């Protein structure tokens, strides 16, 4: 893996190079093993939290972990194009607009003992902006090369906090063109429902049940690129004990192995349906 500046990453994408790199400020990683009409993203995978923020943060390390999406990058690591966040969403949230990306409160609790200075916010928002520069260049390149592409936007959510039965998988589609993409969305939902987990874990799959796909990542791509479908795909945290902070590696491995075949199969189906 290389360590590259954002300008170097943008240059490599423009040239059509294959590479794997971490941004020079260690805020995100990108891997392009080959150019294909789909990409995978794990924007909430990150847990880094820069040290100068530690003493000022009221939330504990566990509380931050609880609201992040651990192991989501691992679940998609085998695919040719993967972009993933390294920093905690408690520093800045890549799935929120720049104006809302640095929290004052988080999940009903004040986040900082003292308000962040503008310099502190600017440092975080620069990383947010750089991520979207690279995202824009990547999707622009894929649309130009292939005419259409699909982005699998992988997240996880805390299912035990709900007071009703919730699905193992949730697709958020309220901000994509359901009239245009409804059949391929349903195909993806059905494919996820077929996954067999260890330990008798169910694999139910629903659309807009727990989340509706209101994230900035999806909205940004959908607004700027008319021939890219973003599939906001949430897995319930059945792959860990969200209260004990224990990851179940055998369940993570199952998800990774299942998505290894299901994502490219679905992506090809979508591409065949919508390529120019």
């Amino acid at each position: 893996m290389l360590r590259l500046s954002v300008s170097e990453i943008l240059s490599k994408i423009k040239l059509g190079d294959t590479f794997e790199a971490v941004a020079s400020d260690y805020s995100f990683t990108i891997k392009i093993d080959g150019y294909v009409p789909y990409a995978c993203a794990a924007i909430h995978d990150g847990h880094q939290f820069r040290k100068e923020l530690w003493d000022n943060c009221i939330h504990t390390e566990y509380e931050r972990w609880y609201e992040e999406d651990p192991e989501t990058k691992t679940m998609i690591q085998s695919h040719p194009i993967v972009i993933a966040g390294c920093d905690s969403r408690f520093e800045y949230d890549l799935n929120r607009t720049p104006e809302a990306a640095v929290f004052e409160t988080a999940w009903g609790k004040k986040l900082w003992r003292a308000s962040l200075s503008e310099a502190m916010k600017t440092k975080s928002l620069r990383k947010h902006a750089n991520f979207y520069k690279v995202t824009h260049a990547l999707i622009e390149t894929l649309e130009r090369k292939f005419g259409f592409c699909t982005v699998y936007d992988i997240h996880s959510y805390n299912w035990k906090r709900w007071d009703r039965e919730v699905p193992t998988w949730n697709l958020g589609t309220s901000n994509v063109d359901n009239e245009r993409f409804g059949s391929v969305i349903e195909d993806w939902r059905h494919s996820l429902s077929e996954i067999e987990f260890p330990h008798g874990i169910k694999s139910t799959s629903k659309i807009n049940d727990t989340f509706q796909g209101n994230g900035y990542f999806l909205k940004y791509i959908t607004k700027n690129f008319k021939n890219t479908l973003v599939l906001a795909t949430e897995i319930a945290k059945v792959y860990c004990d969200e209260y004990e902070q224990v990851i179940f590696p055998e369940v993570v491995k199952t998800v990774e192995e299942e998505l290894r075949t299901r994502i490219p199969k679905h992506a090809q189906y979508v591409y065949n349906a919508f390529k120019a």
Side-chain angles (χ1 to χ4, degrees):
M1 178 181 282
L2 305 171
R3 186 181 71 176
L4 299 175
S5 68
V6 168
S7 62
E8 289 172 323
I9 292 171
L10 293 174
S11 178
K12 284 188 171 294
I13 293 172
K14 184 177 181 180
L15 292 170
D17 291 350
T18 57
F19 66 100
E20 184 174 10
V22 61
S24 56
D25 61 5
Y26 294 95
S27 60
F28 68 91
T29 61
I30 182 169
K31 178 188 73 169
I32 304 178
D33 285 340
Y35 288 84
V36 294
Y38 78 93
C40 296
I43 65 174
H44 283 159
D45 182 74
H47 188 60
Q48 289 178 167
F49 195 65
R50 68 179 199 262
K51 192 172 183 179
E52 63 185 339
L53 298 173
W54 291 3
D55 291 343
N56 194 33
C57 185
I58 297 170
H59 285 242
T60 66
E61 186 273 339
Y62 165 73
E63 287 173 312
R64 297 195 298 271
W65 177 88
Y66 180 78
E67 300 294 353
E68 295 159 354
D69 298 349
E71 299 295 338
T72 48
K73 181 183 177 182
T74 303
M75 294 173 187
I76 54 174
Q77 64 185 355
S78 64
H79 297 279
I81 304 174
V82 178
I83 188 167
C86 298
D87 292 322
S88 172
R89 65 192 302 191
F90 282 76
E91 181 187 343
Y92 59 96
D93 194 329
L94 289 169
N95 217 21
R96 303 201 182 192
T97 65
E99 297 76 21
V102 177
F103 301 156
E104 293 292 334
T105 61
W107 288 272
K109 180 180 175 181
K110 184 180 177 183
L111 183 54
W112 309 109
R113 291 183 170 86
S115 295
L116 294 181
S117 68
E118 288 305 311
M120 287 284 197
K121 293 178 183 178
T122 297
K123 188 178 290 189
S124 294
L125 291 176
R126 188 179 300 118
K127 294 191 280 188
H128 185 283
N130 284 337
F131 177 88
Y132 276 94
K133 287 178 185 177
V134 171
T135 294
H136 193 103
L138 175 62
I139 303 305
E140 187 174 56
T141 297
L142 295 180
E143 274 204 4
R144 185 176 65 251
K145 281 180 175 289
F146 301 105
F148 192 93
C149 73
T150 307
V151 177
Y152 295 86
D153 177 21
I154 306 298
H155 296 267
S156 64
Y157 77 96
N158 300 297
W159 65 278
K160 291 182 178 180
R161 73 183 354 159
W162 293 77
D163 59 3
R164 62 175 175 86
E165 186 173 352
V166 292
T168 314
W169 298 95
N170 179 85
L171 303 184
T173 69
S174 64
N175 287 287
V176 300
D177 187 342
N178 284 270
E179 184 175 346
R180 182 183 181 191
F181 298 123
S183 63
V184 297
I185 291 170
E186 170 56 26
D187 187 81
W188 182 230
R189 185 209 63 77
H190 180 72
S191 179
L192 293 170
S193 73
E194 295 178 323
I195 292 175
E196 295 184 4
F197 286 93
H199 316 310
I201 297 170
K202 292 181 180 180
S203 191
T204 54
S205 182
K206 294 186 178 181
I207 295 173
N208 297 328
D209 183 88
T210 48
F211 299 94
Q212 287 70 48
N214 290 318
Y216 180 65
F217 184 71
L218 180 151
K219 289 181 178 179
Y220 178 90
I221 295 173
T222 301
K223 177 182 177 181
N224 287 284
F225 300 97
K226 301 308 177 188
N227 288 308
T228 297
L229 170 62
V230 183
L231 291 168
T233 303
E234 300 251 5
I235 181 173
K237 288 182 180 174
V238 296
Y239 64 88
C240 69
D241 187 322
E242 61 195 59
Y243 294 144
E244 298 296 328
Q245 200 174 355
V246 175
I247 297 290
F248 306 148
E250 77 280 23
V251 182
V252 174
K253 184 66 173 176
T254 294
V255 176
E256 191 272 334
E257 289 177 344
E258 289 284 346
L259 295 185
R260 189 183 302 172
T261 56
R262 292 180 185 275
I263 286 178
K265 180 180 178 181
H266 182 259
Q268 188 64 51
Y269 169 62
V270 178
Y271 182 64
N272 290 342
F274 295 104
K275 64 184 177 182

